[in-house]
Amino acid sequence: MKAVILAAGRGTRMEPLTVTTPKPLLPLLNKPILLWQIEALLGLVEEIILVIRQPETDPTQQAILDYINQLNIPGLNFRFVIVEEALGTGDAIWRCQPYLTKEDRFFVLYGDDWYDVADLRKLSQYQFAILGQLVNDPEKWGILVTTENNQLVNIVEKPTHFVGNLANCGAYVLGKELFNYSSALQKSIRGEFELTDLVSAFAKDNQITIVPTTNWLPIGYPWHLLAATQKLISQEEFTIMGEIEPNVIIKGRLKLGSGSVIKAGSYLEGDVIVGSDCVIGPSAYLRGPVVIGDKCKVKFTAEVKNSILFTGAQVPHSAYIGDSILGKDVNVGWGSVTANLRHDHGNIKTVIKEQLVDTGLTKFGAIISDGVKLGVRTVIYPGRKIWPYQTTLPGQIVDRDLK
């Protein structure tokens, strides 16, 4: 079999993280989402077709090209289909037609969500299949309308009235007959050509079996990286390859990369992952789940709680980072704080594409993207985001997104 991974989307809801990094390369447990997908497909496919935008006009897409080109996985070939602009998932799969017209069955995956290996294996056992998961907020998802014997009838995008609560996870096994339904490719309300319209037309003449799951982790907003980390970290293999100095207290599990050191007086509780060539402490406090990338520093009396630090992030002095994400090469000035709780304990909201979105979280800090430098004693309100390479003044209060 072959697999198509749709990776040409702009990931605007994940901004500011996706301004500098394509969404499929955002890390989960220090491994890109895209690599999680590739590893889940091992043994099921011999070729993966990646749909990306034109790298010459979008440096983030060049990063995907470069990343795949440095992978060396025996028995697995990669092919790129490059589109001038992202016109929707339906257009993306249609561009792959020359490489799929002889394929009785092939996988299609959205390139920015996490899928369980076992679920993809279940999908492969059916002639045609689609992954579905029950949700509490069906109005936010594509909903699978099914027959009594678990066959797909239709996919309704973000229904305005109740048609069910089984969400489309964006993982399919389809066949070459899909390309017989060109008439279904009409621009949607969003102005895009939707794969779901094509699949709905395909389902009228072909049985598509619903494979239920509870394992799908959608990554639609930045805080979903924190939620996915909480789910996945328990599955991680915890090994110590670095150095732990005397008088370090570990109340939980620690994965420590080579060349990293946990210095004296540091206190770690819960699940903590530290990459390679990092310095933690002395007297740092990590409250898991915490994931720290390579070449990071969390030093004297700094506290990091339920957060993710990308490669090269620095918290070199006393500071509090809670329920937050720090991008690559962020530097946190002395005494800085990411506030993560409202006084009324209400849900924290944040602006996404000029709309105020409820995160559903009562604790949520900041999203600080690549290259940001925080002046000493910067205070950031809950749910605020800082765009790449911005700086703050000493004592600055960040009460709105900084772009």
Side-chain angles (χ1 to χ4, degrees), residues 29-30 233 236-240 250-257 262 267-275 280 285-292 304 306-307:
L29 307 188
N30 288 340
I233 202 166
E236 192 73 357
E237 182 179 347
F238 287 80
T239 55
I240 305 295
I250 300 174
K251 293 283 186 75
R253 299 185 299 168
L254 170 65
K255 180 177 182 179
L256 185 63
I262 311 291
Y267 193 108
L268 284 64
E269 58 184 8
D271 289 338
V272 175
I273 295 175
V274 178
I280 307 299
Y285 182 23
L286 305 183
R287 289 196 280 155
V290 166
V291 178
I292 296 173
V304 177
N306 186 31
S307 294

Side-chain angles (χ1 to χ4, degrees), residues 375-387:
V376 298
R377 290 188 172 176
T378 296
V379 176
I380 306 174
Y381 277 31
R384 276 27 173 206
K385 304 180 294 298
I386 302 181
W387 258 244

Side-chain angles (χ1 to χ4, degrees), residues 31-272:
K31 181 164 68 176
I33 296 169
L34 182 58
L35 185 56
W36 283 100
Q37 293 193 350
I38 290 169
E39 291 180 346
L41 288 165
L42 289 179
L44 296 175
V45 303
E46 295 180 347
E47 181 175 274
I48 294 177
I49 302 168
L50 289 112
V51 184
I52 63 171
R53 296 191 310 282
Q54 185 65 251
E56 287 80 5
T57 57
D58 189 336
T60 66
Q61 299 293 283
Q62 183 64 46
I64 296 178
L65 196 64
D66 294 342
Y67 181 78
I68 293 298
N69 285 337
Q70 59 84 35
L71 285 180
N72 182 18
I73 302 176
L76 185 61
N77 296 319
F78 293 96
R79 181 190 300 274
F80 286 93
V81 170
I82 297 175
V83 299
E84 293 295 327
E85 57 179 319
L87 297 177
T89 51
D91 175 72
I93 195 67
W94 204 263
R95 302 295 184 96
C96 299
Q97 183 176 355
Y99 312 109
L100 297 172
T101 51
K102 295 181 180 179
E103 302 300 317
D104 291 331
R105 298 161 68 246
F106 51 86
F107 280 95
V108 180
L109 301 181
Y110 293 164
D112 46 19
D113 288 349
W114 187 90
Y115 301 106
D116 186 80
V117 176
D119 287 336
L120 297 190
R121 293 193 178 278
K122 288 177 185 176
L123 281 176
S124 71
Q125 294 170 7
Y126 295 93
Q127 178 68 15
F128 306 124
I130 184 170
L131 199 64
Q133 182 163 298
L134 292 174
V135 294
N136 296 322
D137 47 0
E139 69 281 358
K140 296 180 180 179
W141 307 95
I143 297 300
L144 306 178
V145 180
T146 69
T147 64
E148 292 182 357
N149 62 343
N150 221 29
Q151 301 296 313
L152 180 68
V153 174
N154 192 20
I155 304 174
V156 181
E157 288 295 329
K158 298 180 180 178
T160 54
H161 62 279
F162 187 80
V163 296
N165 59 347
L166 188 64
N168 172 21
C169 302
Y172 311 81
V173 170
L174 302 168
K176 59 188 176 185
E177 297 87 353
L178 183 73
F179 300 107
N180 295 334
Y181 297 89
S182 59
S183 61
L185 277 182
Q186 305 291 331
K187 279 193 176 181
S188 66
I189 296 175
R190 297 193 303 168
E192 297 183 355
F193 298 99
E194 309 286 356
L195 173 59
T196 49
D197 291 338
L198 203 55
V199 172
S200 293
F202 180 73
K204 296 185 187 305
D205 302 314
N206 301 273
Q207 286 195 345
I208 302 179
T209 301
I210 310 297
V211 175
T213 183
T214 58
N215 302 317
W216 171 53
L217 298 176
I219 312 294
Y221 295 106
W223 55 92
H224 288 164
L225 289 174
L226 296 171
T229 295
Q230 290 180 327
K231 291 283 185 70
L232 295 177
I233 202 166
S234 62
Q235 305 173 19
E236 192 73 357
E237 182 179 347
F238 287 80
T239 55
I240 305 295
M241 299 178 66
E243 177 189 357
I244 303 175
E245 291 185 352
N247 301 317
V248 171
I249 296 175
I250 300 174
K251 293 283 186 75
R253 299 185 299 168
L254 170 65
K255 180 177 182 179
L256 185 63
S258 61
S260 292
V261 58
I262 311 291
K263 292 197 169 187
S266 297
Y267 193 108
L268 284 64
E269 58 184 8
D271 289 338
V272 175

